[in-house]
Amino acid sequence: MLNRGRFGAYGGAYVPEILVPALEELDAAFIDAQDDPGFRVELDTLLRKYAGRPTPLTRCRNLGTGRACIYLKREDLLHGGAHKTNQVLGQALLARRMGKTRLIAETGAGQHGVATALAGALFGLRTCIYMGAHDVERQKLNVFRMRLMGAEVVPVESGQRGLKDAINEALRDWTASFADTHYLLGTVAGPHPFPTIVRDFQRVIGEEARAQILDEEGRLPDAVIACVGGGSNAMGIFADFAPDAEVKLIGVEPAGKGLDGDQHGATLLRGRPGILHGAETYVLQDADGQISESWSVSAGLDYPAVGPEHAHLRDSGRAEYVGATDAEALAAFQALAAGEGIICAFESAHALAHALKLAEAATDNPVLVVNLSGRGDKDMEQAQRLLELP
Amino acid sequence: MSRYATMFDRLSGEGAFGAFIMLGDPDLARSAAILDALVEGGADMIEVGIPFSDPVADGPVIQAAATRALAKGVTPADCFDLIAGFRARHPNVPVGILTYANLVVARGRDAFYARAAAAGADSVLVADVPLLEAEPFASSARLHGLDPVLIAAANTPPERLAAIARRGGGYTYCVARAGVTGADRAAEFDHADMLDALLTNNAPPPVFGFGISRPEHVRAALAAGAAGVICGSAIVDLLAKHADPLPALRAFIAAMKEATRIREAA
């Protein structure tokens, strides 16, 4: 199991010994499912007829035009409101395959919690979502959506009361409950096999986008751009473009109130290698190794570690990582709404912010594909407080 | 002979009682006094936590202790100094460190184990490093003369228990139930097979942790075949609930230690 779980120097499975058999059971179920055509058919059917795949690739009519050609991969249109549903359906089928009767998950912005709750309802699995108490407060709408679909939402009061602390609590639950419970981890972080499973269930984003851009432009894009918190939407859209060396892969981290201070979540830009939540990866930490508090206007990017494959892509140079501040993301959020009639999630607005920067500086009309990973309904309350409308 | 081996030799016929505290909770000075009280109460071996911000293997009681220590600004360097002080006062009592991987790799594995050895610790257990990831940690520990304590759980498969028996040192930390640390639930797994596999493979002596909070838990663990027990959450809880905890602590340790004398009790 160990060798499959490494991305260069990163990854692994740093968990209490008692959880190792649960990870091995999951790994075996995943490998077994890949060889089962029935599994693939059921997942594909769910993705098409329940979740609404394929999602469109939309060419911006107004943003960036004249300087660049910006395409949006519309994961915001996926059922549930974000890309999260792709891999949740896959893992829920694995849970059923393993005979589990209960799902637990962590959530930051609430999108992964919503996706897990809908899968729990669909498959008749009891569902418990751990969510930092601070995030419960700033994403009330998603909390209600989860509860409406029958999930229990547990506010986590420890630590900084955010996504990191929700993962801690979910891991603690799982060490006691693995016999009947699947931990449906929401991103490409955590111990092996989660980074691989989540990436493989999310790679449908990039497979579709690659075919769609070839269809539209007759060539590959100059760059594929996605926001990175844990990094699942980015890995999902990067995976199929990774072999195409001419396509730049750009991950956009939350620069929060600025990279020079300590209020950001830019793990790959400002962290250093360490071990958190089961994986060796970049971590925001102090000199002793205590985990730092991260900050982002978007709860879904507010995480002091990152998926280990991103750590590897950073070190190998295959992907480039940049930051977008809260203010830049909010400006892009507003520009997309006013310019294209699309209200995206604060998370996705970070990716768009960087695309707009590239377009501003471009001279050769590059083709840019932005993963619009989620829709912005959940952020309306916060947006009302933060934005001055004319 | 290591301090652990000497201790198990000395105790032949009774179980080892290990007492855990979180260093720096409630503060560094009181931690030093608490460590002395553990020995005065009769603890045979001491386990000390170096507080980490994200202790995923720990339940609410030990999490809260780590949070209190970190809020006081307690660092790993402070903890090593506390251990060195304890070692100067108690040359023969085994001391094991319990902590998390990121604190070890942040300092650098070799630097961490070297500092632990210089402070006079005997072993290091890293709660989030299972056997499959243990090699670089265990090698570095041995390089610096420390025992790498590994965890065996009742759901660990037999071939892995054999490897844990070979690779581990000092004692084998046996987890007798699912879940995180805490005093609320006692052992629940059938652990006879785990103990058999460890003994067959000449593992370091099996010591039960998790859910050891009353004398009857101690007696049950020893009757099942454990060479000792470690009590953590119950002690941390007692310390948190008393303004002047030392008299109650000594009495509690003495009662728990008494329960390790199963031959006399029988």
Side-chain angles (χ1 to χ4, degrees), chain B residues 167-190:
Chain B
R167 301 292 307 149
Y171 63 93
T172 308
Y173 191 112
C174 296
V175 177
R177 64 154 167 77
V180 292
T181 57
D184 52 331
R185 282 159 43 237
E188 57 191 21
F189 284 148
D190 178 3

Side-chain angles (χ1 to χ4, degrees), chain A residues 338-352:
Chain A
E340 304 289 335
I342 298 171
I343 296 173
C344 72
F346 280 176
E347 288 77 10
S348 322
H350 287 72
L352 182 66

Side-chain angles (χ1 to χ4, degrees), chain B residues 250-261:
Chain B
R250 286 190 201 96
F252 176 74
I253 301 294
M256 295 291 274
K257 175 55 200 170
E258 185 56 33
T260 67
R261 300 185 173 109

Side-chain angles (χ1 to χ4, degrees), chain A residues 133-163:
Chain A
H134 175 56
D135 293 337
V136 167
E137 195 52 43
R138 62 175 163 172
Q139 307 276 223
K140 280 183 201 146
L141 184 65
N142 271 344
V143 173
F144 185 74
R145 292 166 81 200
M146 289 180 251
R147 288 181 171 149
L148 189 60
M149 291 186 282
E152 179 193 0
V153 180
V154 179
V156 176
E157 298 285 353
S158 60
Q160 65 183 106
R161 305 156 77 234
L163 177 56

Side-chain angles (χ1 to χ4, degrees), chain A residues 21-174:
Chain A
L23 293 171
E24 290 178 320
E25 180 189 15
L26 176 59
D27 195 37
F30 178 61
I31 292 169
D32 183 61
Q34 316 240 293
D35 297 333
D36 175 0
F39 180 88
R40 198 66 242 179
V41 167
E42 184 169 13
L43 180 55
D44 285 346
T45 305
L46 281 167
L47 288 175
R48 281 186 295 116
K49 298 188 176 179
Y50 179 75
R53 299 215 74 87
T55 59
L57 186 72
T58 302
R59 182 184 173 139
C60 287
R61 285 169 175 259
N62 298 304
L63 288 193
T65 48
R67 290 202 181 79
C69 195
I70 301 177
Y71 284 88
L72 307 172
K73 181 58 176 164
R74 302 292 307 280
E75 295 301 294
D76 61 312
L77 295 177
L78 193 70
H79 176 48
H83 71 292
K84 297 288 185 186
T85 305
N86 295 322
Q87 74 95 9
V88 163
L89 291 173
Q91 280 201 57
L93 290 179
L94 290 180
R96 202 186 57 186
R97 210 176 166 85
M98 293 184 288
K100 307 293 182 188
T101 56
R102 176 172 174 262
L103 300 176
I104 55 172
E106 82 294 343
T107 197
Q111 289 304 121
H112 177 59
V114 165
T116 304
L118 69 83
L122 186 64
F123 295 108
L125 301 166
R126 280 184 301 136
T127 303
C128 173
I129 308 294
Y130 290 98
M131 187 168 187
H134 175 56
D135 293 337
V136 167
E137 195 52 43
R138 62 175 163 172
Q139 307 276 223
K140 280 183 201 146
L141 184 65
N142 271 344
V143 173
F144 185 74
R145 292 166 81 200
M146 289 180 251
R147 288 181 171 149
L148 189 60
M149 291 186 282
E152 179 193 0
V153 180
V154 179
V156 176
E157 298 285 353
S158 60
Q160 65 183 106
R161 305 156 77 234
L163 177 56
K164 168 182 79 91
D165 312 289
I167 296 177
N168 289 343
E169 242 9 78
L171 280 168
R172 289 179 186 123
D173 181 311
W174 206 32

